[in-house]
Amino acid sequence: MSQALIDLVREKFPEAVVSSHSHRGDDVVTVKRENLVEVIDFLRNDPQTDLKLLRQIAGVDLLTYRSEMSGGAALASIEVPAYDVQNKPKVEPRYQVAYNLYSITRHHSLRVRVELRSDDLKVPSITSLYRTADWWERYVYDMFGFEFTGHPNLTRLLMYPEFVGFPLRKDYPVRKRQPLVPELDFPDLVRGPGPGPGGAGVPMSQTHVGRENVDPSTYD
Amino acid sequence: MTEPDRRAEGATIASPGFSGTEALQDQDPLSLEAEIPTTPMTVNLGPSHPAMHGTVRLTVTLDGETIVEAIPEIGFLHRGFSKSSENSTWHQVLPYTDRLNYVSPILNNTGYIMGVEKLIGLKPTERAEYLRVLGGEISRICDHLTCVGAIGLELGAFTVFLYAMEARELLWDRISELCGARVTVSWTRIGGVATDTPPGWEQRVRDCLPRVMELTNEIDTLLTRNRIFIDRTRNVGVISGDEAIDWGFTGPCLRACGVNYDVRKAHPYSVYDRMDFEIPLGSRGDTYDRYVLRIEEIRQSHRIVLQCLEQMPPGPIIIDDWRYALPPKKDVFGSIEGVMAHFKLIMEGIPVPAGEVYVYTEGANGELGFHIVSNGKGKPYAIQVRGPGLPILSALPRLIKGHAVADLIPIFDSINMIGGEVEQ
Amino acid sequence: MSDSGAVTTGGGQPGAAKGQAQIPAPPKKVKLLVDGIEVEADSRDNLIEAARRIGVAIPYFCYHPRLSIAGQCRMCLVETSDAPGRLVPGCQVRVKEGLKVTTNSPAVKDNQRGCMEFHLINHPVDCAICDQSGECKLQDYYMEYDHQPSRIRVQKLNKPKREIFGPMVVYDAERCIMCTRCVRFMDEIAKEPQLAVVERGSHSLIATFPGQPLDSKYSGNTVDICPVGALLNRDFRFQSRVWFVNKSPAICAGCANGCNVYAESRGNVIYRLLPRRNEEVNQVWMCDEGRLTYHATNDKRVEWARTGKGDSAASVGPRIAVDRVVELLKPLAGQGGIGVAVSAQCTNEEATAAFQLGAHLGATHYFMGGQRAGDSDDFLIRADKNPNTAGVRLAAEAFGVKLHDIQAVDQVKALVAMRTDGLLPDRLGHLEVFVAISQNEDAASSEAHVTLPCKSVYEQDGSLINWYGRLQRTWESVPAQRADAAPGWSWADGILKGLGASGLESAAAAFRALAEKSPHLSGLSFDDLPEDGIVLEGLLPSEWPARAPRPAPGAHSVRGPQTTPPGTKVGDEASGGSR
């Protein structure tokens, strides 16, 4: 469909393109990380391409892509034996970041991909090109842990700040528990009156209204 | 309004304390020209707030009534859609998609299933295509009615809200008759849909639509030329088309800026190419345009629904290929082939060929996209949702900056952020 | 027939009909085309194996790489350039230089679909109650090659169901597709021809001689190789669905042969053991007794760390129990009169930890116990019913201690037992201090003053040395924790730390401690042990049972992993790898 776009990118940036393919109507070009910003800049601003809409930035972790133990069997493999994750050959490059670009005027789209190794998770940020990249990069950072260099505010988007780990990585178990976070203290926070006669922060059950000589440990 | 910063030493942004006494000393406090000392104040809206649809927290810094800065914080409704879908079969993901945009669930189901079908290279049956479009457009009308009703409600027009709810109820009744549930429909299947229309359903739809349009017209009459409404929504939350595209807007919010992009017309999918409908466009990109656009889109969706009812052919609602669709129950219990097919499809999932695809449909709020990666097994390898609300919500600070607090509410209503699809 | 020593009867391996495993000399290469792709195949390959080399899967039911050729199921029929217009069975036809094979032509596909239809004509609608669901070739091939509705409109044939063939095997004749793999296996590999095909036509059945059970010690393997749910394991029947269990590699703890297995478990329960491929230990087979060894991991376990015995036994936490042990042993340390008992069931790491603890305590006597000896044969079963006798002896030699028989415990006043197999309870009454790190509740563990629950061999990472000196790794195959259980070396580590010595933090650390002392293990590291084990040359025996698999001659101090043949699904090795 937009094979022309891939050809254009290959023509303009021959040394930046690692690979390209078309699958089910989607055109994908994989570029080197160093050239990412200039390629996307070109794709955005060149009048032939005019890919002004950044639809999505998606991350993929390919760690278990070839594993036989994943997939199949609706209910198994939630408890994956440690042998499987430890001893299967490491997949490198392990991660991919996919930028999905679209042109509203020309009705064509292109997916630009960058591959990352598991020990080197830096990606240049494209917030200077698209304002919407801000939140998408924060989302991908939150879920995978890629570091988008040059991002003005690379903090977690969906998870709370004390969250440990990166959930969408394949070695993050589905049922993993998080450490308990102590309650944050706001000394200047003004609290309103609580629900019960005991005042703020005292649950109704502790107010002893109408209850006498009751052992508070027997109820909440 | 920029005032010189007169905060007293030690006062933080959260605990306003002003050093107005020093400044006042320079002036006669009884003079009418004396400046009112103010300090910026931070107000927290949400996450549990009736106006914060779907739990969003807005930390708003106010100077008087003017919004200086707003920081949205999301994540309160994040339920791990992507991670859960990696551990479920392709069909088990469907109930998760219901809960994305929970106001128009059939559109989510359709978008996701179309992605899987694109990966397989499968075309559903003709009747199923029409049914999906029919159900989808009814869902779209419900979503727009919800948005319009909420705009009215939060600006004080309770009647508008009740009219919208009545219209919605009529349509939800039709959907629950068709799919078996109001919101948690999980109605589409790979290769078709799950249930066919019950007897008499099409006539009931035809009967209730006039009432729905009548109520929509009532809402239109009440709000569209209403002086108060126009004053509150005209030129409020304005954004230009180019900037909107840069922020990633799609759907009604983008079309309100005058940009003609609707996936149904730009890249027609399913049977939309056989439907005759128009795309309303706004001109100014403000809250008023976003509201009027939705009313007009309800009317266009109504046209599509009538055309679907007219054109829909009889026939099977799901393809007859046992690699993807469950066999009929008499075969499951009666023949070994049926039970084996049923067994493998349920327990191992449908083997979707390996590959990566991005499929996009026109959801109620914009382009709903699914980035689906398969590794050839019966479970998805990775699914990431492109919820149309996320880019629009990220632009919210830009939209409300400089407006009064009171304007925040109609702006936020008009973008129709649905928490489920933003936060997955 | 051929004088080059190449195979004369069927099977993908030379001598397979004779049931011997020999790692062959480098074979002659043959180039042929499969579906237009050039393949360099071994000259002894049949077309199925040749196609498998490039990942092209030809389906089959009756073919098995280690059995003779039957050519019965007709599922593997392909087109070749040698026989135009006809289909030939891929299992029987040898590769030839320049042959062109087509596996995806319309005729082949139609045959595959037709074969499936024929096989399913009389097949009962049993998937819901059949154990083979989830690992059934009929199901897999149906979805892949057939997926059409049934066309028959008559009643299916009724045959005997759930016939008990023997102590381990139950037979369902309706599900049987008469591939005769079981018959050939019993004839050629188990060498006890207890099964045969009786009746004719569609009434054919597999049967034993009337009145004789299928009681061979290898009858469980017929269940593995049966592609459908006709032959089922009576021990596993109806216990769990196969997709609920996780497969993990381990070593069988039944005898000194050290057959490689997969332990299938869910939660903290093991449901089944399946053989894992290791050409030099057990090929893809295991004996029936070995299949039952997992029960010791599930039943009658010591679960909670406890102090006291009999009525005064109290479940205390692991830390308190270890503190009590330290409290009991500290005054006696170095005074003499302390004994350490190990069992031949211990892993190398547990034995090392026990000896290290004994050294720190100044133990005067070391005892080795274990399961009693049993019978053996010329194939896989060894008389020594303990998996690690050689390993414990090697550790004892490394630490310079002499091992006494376990009956002689009356020579000591205090005893620390790393596993209590073989300890007779009537000889323990005189002990002032008896600390037992034990896996199962037996008479001995109820006599202990402190009992610490030990993880079984299937539940911990460790290494074992089999009867001929092969060092093999076993992995933690049960994902969930069972009460307070911990590996034996972990308890010893706690006790050592309590006594003020440095402990052993991990299995790798324990192995390192052993490797430092033993010349046999020099240069080896726990994490880098090859998956299929290493032969320790110094321990190789001179006598070999007639059919026992043996390592190839030549230098083999470090060998790479024997990869499963390309195209075989991991975990599917015993069944012939047809997917």
Side-chain angles (χ1 to χ4, degrees):
Chain A
M1 184 173 72
S2 339
Q3 181 62 32
L5 274 175
I6 300 184
D7 293 337
L8 193 61
V9 173
R10 274 193 185 277
E11 191 190 301
K12 280 271 183 317
F13 302 94
E15 69 296 334
V17 174
V18 173
S19 65
S20 69
H21 71 271
S22 237
H23 183 68
R24 301 269 189 242
D26 279 9
D27 302 299
V28 185
V29 62
T30 310
V31 299
K32 295 207 191 85
R33 178 178 43 180
E34 308 79 65
N35 307 97
L36 176 71
V37 181
E38 63 173 338
V39 169
I40 295 193
D41 193 19
F42 164 75
L43 288 169
R44 178 175 190 271
N45 295 320
D46 185 83
Q48 256 184 300
T49 55
D50 201 35
L51 292 164
K52 286 244 168 29
L53 180 66
L54 173 66
R55 283 160 153 172
Q56 187 190 34
I57 303 181
V60 185
D61 179 354
L62 294 173
L63 183 68
T64 52
Y65 195 77
R66 303 224 178 276
S67 164
E68 296 94 0
M69 296 291 192
S70 76
L75 291 164
S77 78
I78 292 210
E79 309 161 322
V80 177
Y83 168 80
D84 203 38
V85 176
Q86 278 168 22
N87 293 37
K88 289 292 183 225
K90 296 279 175 274
V91 175
E92 292 290 352
R94 181 175 160 188
Y95 297 105
Q96 288 176 352
V97 188
Y99 297 81
N100 213 308
L101 305 168
Y102 181 73
S103 169
I104 291 185
T105 48
R106 302 202 181 280
H107 294 314
H108 55 207
S109 62
L110 185 66
R111 199 180 313 143
V112 178
R113 254 207 317 227
V114 171
E115 291 172 336
L116 299 176
R117 301 181 56 85
S118 49
D119 45 10
D120 186 8
L121 297 177
K122 290 197 185 3
V123 191
S125 165
I126 58 170
T127 42
S128 53
L129 298 172
Y130 295 94
R131 270 179 270 222
T132 187
D134 188 335
W135 273 32
W136 285 116
E137 287 179 352
R138 280 179 69 187
Y139 171 77
V140 175
Y141 162 72
D142 190 6
M143 293 289 130
F144 288 95
F146 307 145
E147 197 189 308
F148 289 91
T149 49
H151 192 283
N153 177 27
L154 193 66
T155 51
R156 286 190 181 273
L157 186 70
L158 293 177
M159 305 315 299
Y160 53 95
E162 296 86 354
F163 191 86
V164 171
F166 297 105
L168 279 185
R169 291 193 182 174
K170 288 291 180 179
D171 47 6
Y172 186 96
V174 167
R175 295 214 179 132
K176 182 168 174 186
R177 306 296 297 245
Q178 285 284 317
L180 292 175
V181 177
E183 188 180 334
L184 297 174
D185 192 30
F186 294 105
D188 54 355
L189 187 64
V190 176
R191 295 181 191 267
V202 181
M204 283 294 289
S205 54
Q206 301 295 325
T207 59
H208 301 289
V209 173
R211 300 168 198 258
E212 284 160 20
N213 301 321
V214 181
D215 176 7
S217 65
T218 58
Y219 58 89
D220 183 85
Chain B
M1 296 184 8
T2 45
E3 297 274 336
D5 188 34
R6 297 204 200 100
R7 270 176 288 174
E9 297 268 309
T12 63
I13 201 77
S15 62
F18 61 92
S19 60
T21 39
E22 290 99 10
L24 273 179
Q25 275 161 5
D26 303 335
Q27 304 173 45
D28 177 6
L30 295 177
S31 156
L32 284 174
E33 311 303 321
E35 290 201 25
I36 304 174
T38 62
T39 57
M41 177 163 131
T42 308
V43 166
N44 191 46
L45 277 112
S48 291
H49 190 291
M52 297 290 117
H53 305 291
T55 61
V56 162
R57 177 184 180 207
L58 277 180
T59 313
V60 175
T61 311
L62 297 173
D63 185 6
E65 279 225 15
T66 318
I67 298 174
V68 170
E69 196 195 344
I71 304 172
E73 184 181 327
I74 60 173
F76 301 97
L77 199 52
H78 177 68
R79 295 150 297 176
F81 170 78
S82 304
K83 195 79 180 175
S84 308
S85 62
E86 290 171 17
N87 286 291
S88 325
T89 63
W90 293 98
H91 273 139
Q92 286 177 328
V93 175
L94 263 179
Y96 293 132
T97 58
D98 285 338
R99 281 112 172 124
L100 288 175
N101 184 337
Y102 34 76
V103 199
S104 55
I106 296 185
L107 291 168
N108 302 119
N109 289 161
T110 309
Y112 165 70
I113 288 290
M114 278 180 54
V116 183
E117 287 173 353
K118 187 171 169 186
L119 260 183
I120 301 176
L122 195 66
K123 202 162 150 37
T125 65
E126 178 101 351
R127 186 174 170 84
E129 300 256 43
Y130 275 101
L131 278 171
R132 287 180 187 176
V133 169
L134 180 54
E137 290 305 315
I138 295 181
S139 286
R140 194 190 307 276
I141 298 178
C142 292
D143 198 322
H144 287 331
L145 282 170
T146 316
C147 180
V148 164
I151 293 179
L153 173 70
E154 282 159 24
L155 291 180
F158 199 66
T159 314
V160 165
F161 178 72
L162 289 179
Y163 284 169
M165 290 301 114
E166 186 186 336
R168 255 180 38 136
E169 284 302 306
L170 289 167
L171 292 172
W172 278 124
D173 282 345
R174 301 289 85 74
I175 291 188
S176 70
E177 282 162 15
L178 176 67
C179 309
R182 281 162 63 106
V183 172
T184 54
V185 290
S186 303
W187 183 54
T188 50
R189 297 283 182 269
I190 294 174
V193 294
T195 54
D196 205 344
T197 58
W201 186 80
E202 292 172 30
Q203 188 51 45
R204 284 199 287 274
V205 173
R206 280 187 223 272
D207 288 342
C208 79
L209 277 176
R211 177 72 183 134
V212 171
M213 297 322 292
E214 190 188 349
L215 287 162
T216 310
N217 292 336
E218 285 274 358
I219 297 174
D220 196 10
T221 319
L222 281 172
L223 287 183
T224 310
R225 296 176 69 83
N226 184 314
R227 181 78 248 162
I228 303 175
F229 185 76
I230 295 178
D231 273 347
R232 285 212 63 181
T233 56
R234 254 270 163 83
N235 291 326
V236 166
V238 179
I239 190 165
S240 73
D242 287 332
E243 198 179 345
I245 296 176
D246 202 35
W247 277 106
F249 279 31
T250 48
C253 294
L254 182 64
R255 294 196 281 277
C257 309
V259 177
N260 185 356
Y261 174 52
D262 186 321
V263 183
R264 295 173 292 174
K265 284 284 193 199
H267 302 275
Y269 55 93
S270 199
V271 293
Y272 279 108
D273 47 356
R274 302 179 211 174
M275 301 287 148
D276 179 28
F277 63 104
E278 283 157 22
I279 304 295
L281 289 176
S283 51
R284 219 181 261 111
D286 58 7
T287 303
Y288 183 73
D289 277 357
R290 291 192 274 270
Y291 151 76
V292 175
L293 197 85
R294 289 203 161 86
I295 298 281
E296 289 302 318
E297 285 201 359
I298 294 177
R299 298 198 171 111
Q300 297 304 319
S301 289
H302 171 238
R303 279 173 73 181
I304 301 177
V305 169
L306 289 175
Q307 286 168 55
C308 270
L309 287 171
E310 224 174 299
Q311 292 179 21
M312 186 158 65
I317 52 163
I318 195 162
I319 55 167
D320 193 23
D321 189 340
W322 288 4
R323 283 173 297 176
Y324 306 111
L326 288 180
K329 284 296 180 277
K330 71 168 174 57
D331 284 303
V332 171
F333 296 127
S335 74
I336 181 67
E337 286 85 349
V339 74
M340 288 204 294
H342 179 101
F343 188 88
K344 295 285 279 186
L345 290 178
I346 302 263
M347 294 323 299
E348 290 193 4
I350 292 162
V352 171
E356 185 185 347
V357 79
Y358 177 80
V359 71
Y360 49 102
T361 57
E362 182 73 18
N365 288 330
E367 179 190 309
L368 175 67
F370 286 90
H371 180 262
I372 303 180
V373 180
S374 161
N375 68 341
K377 304 281 183 190
K379 292 193 209 173
Y381 186 74
I383 301 185
Q384 199 169 320
V385 180
R386 191 245 179 225
L390 190 140
I392 303 177
L393 184 65
S394 69
L396 184 68
R398 148 78 183 75
L399 286 173
I400 62 178
K401 202 171 287 199
H403 288 294
V405 170
D407 295 328
L408 193 163
I409 301 299
I411 297 175
F412 193 64
D413 288 338
S414 70
I415 62 177
N416 199 23
M417 184 214 84
I418 305 284
E421 69 188 355
V422 169
E423 305 186 23
Q424 306 173 38
Chain C
M1 276 186 294
S2 160
D3 56 358
S4 65
V7 60
T8 52
T9 55
Q13 295 246 354
K18 303 203 194 90
Q20 292 166 340
Q22 294 158 26
I23 309 297
K28 206 158 61 97
K29 292 287 186 203
V30 163
K31 279 203 179 49
L32 68 154
L33 282 171
V34 173
D35 290 344
I37 308 171
E38 189 176 85
V39 183
E40 196 177 281
D42 187 313
S43 62
R44 295 158 306 181
D45 277 354
N46 53 21
L47 300 183
I48 295 180
E49 301 296 336
R52 208 207 290 273
R53 286 175 189 273
I54 51 165
V56 172
I58 298 178
Y60 53 86
F61 290 113
C62 67
Y63 168 67
H64 192 287
R66 295 172 196 270
L67 301 174
S68 57
I69 305 291
Q72 201 274 349
C73 67
R74 316 313 287 173
M75 194 70 186
C76 62
L77 265 45
V78 291
E79 275 185 12
T80 55
S81 53
D82 265 1
R86 292 201 299 278
L87 298 173
V88 296
C91 57
Q92 285 183 339
V93 173
R94 273 304 128 108
V95 294
K96 207 175 83 158
E97 185 73 35
L99 191 65
K100 292 197 195 40
V101 180
T102 315
T103 68
N104 51 11
S105 72
V108 173
K109 286 196 194 301
D110 193 46
N111 172 67
Q112 288 165 346
R113 194 206 57 74
C115 268
M116 285 311 304
E117 191 174 5
F118 277 131
H119 275 116
L120 294 174
I121 286 178
N122 278 321
H123 201 81
V125 188
D126 271 358
C127 289
I129 54 171
C130 175
D131 264 1
Q132 199 86 352
S133 284
E135 50 182 18
C136 173
K137 293 292 179 300
L138 278 182
Q139 281 182 347
D140 297 342
Y141 290 162
Y142 170 75
M143 292 306 286
E144 178 97 16
Y145 302 107
D146 185 1
H147 56 80
Q148 304 295 329
S150 168
R151 287 196 283 185
I152 60 163
R153 295 288 173 264
V154 295
Q155 283 275 10
K156 295 192 184 223
L157 213 50
N158 286 335
K159 293 189 197 172
K161 286 180 92 70
R162 53 184 184 285
E163 246 183 87
I164 308 284
F165 266 6
M168 185 143 259
V169 177
V170 60
Y171 176 66
D172 185 319
E174 285 180 357
R175 301 174 189 169
C176 181
I177 56 169
M178 302 307 299
C179 69
T180 64
R181 272 182 177 187
C182 52
V183 176
R184 284 176 280 142
F185 170 82
M186 295 307 296
D187 282 351
E188 298 162 16
I189 311 266
K191 297 275 187 250
E192 289 170 87
Q194 294 175 339
L195 293 176
V197 179
V198 301
E199 302 289 343
R200 295 174 295 174
S202 54
H203 297 270
S204 308
L205 308 170
I206 306 290
T208 56
F209 192 81
Q212 305 277 353
L214 175 64
D215 59 1
S216 158
K217 293 215 170 65
Y218 299 99
S219 61
N221 295 297
T222 58
V223 176
D224 291 337
I225 61 174
C226 180
V228 300
L231 288 169
L232 294 173
N233 187 332
R234 286 177 69 195
D235 182 59
F236 177 64
R237 194 156 168 257
F238 301 148
Q239 296 308 307
S240 174
R241 284 307 213 173
V242 300
W243 57 86
F244 284 140
V245 290
N246 295 287
K247 227 191 256 271
S248 179
I251 305 288
C252 173
C255 75
N257 200 54
C259 298
N260 289 196
V261 299
Y262 285 110
E264 296 206 329
S265 62
R266 183 184 186 206
N268 60 13
V269 174
I270 298 184
Y271 284 96
R272 183 168 66 157
L273 296 179
L274 288 179
R276 181 163 53 105
R277 178 173 180 254
N278 190 326
E279 292 293 348
E280 300 182 351
V281 179
N282 62 317
Q283 294 170 28
V284 293
W285 317 117
M286 68 189 285
C287 71
D288 287 3
E289 235 180 87
R291 287 177 198 272
L292 298 175
T293 56
Y294 72 87
H295 284 295
T297 307
N298 292 341
D299 307 328
K300 286 175 50 142
R301 291 287 298 274
V302 177
E303 301 220 321
W304 305 100
R306 62 170 186 261
T307 54
K309 56 179 178 177
D311 288 329
S312 56
S315 272
V316 299
R319 204 169 40 90
I320 297 180
V322 167
D323 287 345
R324 177 92 182 112
V325 171
V326 170
E327 190 189 349
L328 286 172
L329 289 177
K330 216 177 195 140
L332 301 173
Q335 315 283 335
I338 299 188
V340 169
V342 290
S343 161
Q345 302 261 334
C346 291
T347 60
N348 292 332
E349 291 70 27
E350 289 179 337
T352 309
F355 291 138
Q356 194 156 329
L357 178 59
H360 184 80
L361 290 172
T364 49
H365 291 83
Y366 291 83
F367 309 98
M368 181 161 98
Q371 299 284 351
R372 273 200 311 258
D375 49 351
S376 68
D377 72 356
D378 63 346
F379 190 30
L380 296 178
I381 305 179
R382 304 277 82 81
D384 179 6
K385 297 299 177 196
N386 302 292
N388 200 23
T389 316
V392 174
R393 285 195 207 282
L394 185 142
E397 192 189 307
F399 278 83
V401 302
K402 184 169 169 322
L403 290 170
H404 302 271
D405 184 72
I406 195 83
Q407 315 297 343
V409 290
D410 40 358
Q411 299 177 29
V412 293
K413 296 190 316 237
L415 184 66
V416 177
M418 178 73 73
R419 292 189 186 266
T420 50
D421 309 285
L423 273 176
L424 293 175
D426 48 358
R427 291 176 182 267
L428 302 169
H430 69 284
L431 289 170
E432 291 169 18
V433 173
F434 178 29
V435 175
I437 303 172
S438 78
Q439 175 184 323
N440 295 95
E441 291 284 6
D442 51 17
S445 67
S446 52
E447 292 287 323
H449 295 111
V450 182
T451 317
L452 303 170
C454 187
K455 272 195 178 179
S456 76
V457 168
Y458 298 115
E459 292 171 323
Q460 53 174 300
D461 285 340
S463 61
L464 305 164
I465 302 183
N466 82 345
W467 69 281
Y468 70 73
R470 188 186 199 87
L471 174 68
Q472 305 189 101
R473 252 213 69 173
T474 180
W475 284 268
E476 189 180 338
S477 297
V478 172
Q481 172 69 18
R482 178 184 285 270
D484 281 340
W489 51 261
S490 160
W491 291 116
D493 169 63
I495 301 172
L496 277 168
K497 290 211 170 82
L499 292 170
S502 63
L504 300 158
E505 270 81 45
S506 62
F511 187 83
R512 194 170 41 242
L514 183 61
E516 277 162 11
K517 289 192 147 72
S518 171
H520 292 289
L521 301 176
S522 66
L524 292 177
S525 137
F526 188 72
D527 296 313
D528 296 330
L529 286 177
E531 274 182 40
D532 58 343
I534 287 188
V535 176
L536 303 176
E537 305 241 14
L539 300 175
L540 277 174
S542 47
E543 299 250 319
W544 290 83
R547 290 194 294 129
R550 64 182 76 183
H556 45 196
S557 45
V558 178
R559 289 274 307 274
Q562 296 170 3
T563 50
T564 325
T568 311
K569 190 168 85 168
V570 168
D572 202 19
E573 297 113 55
S575 69
S578 44
R579 172 55 31 220

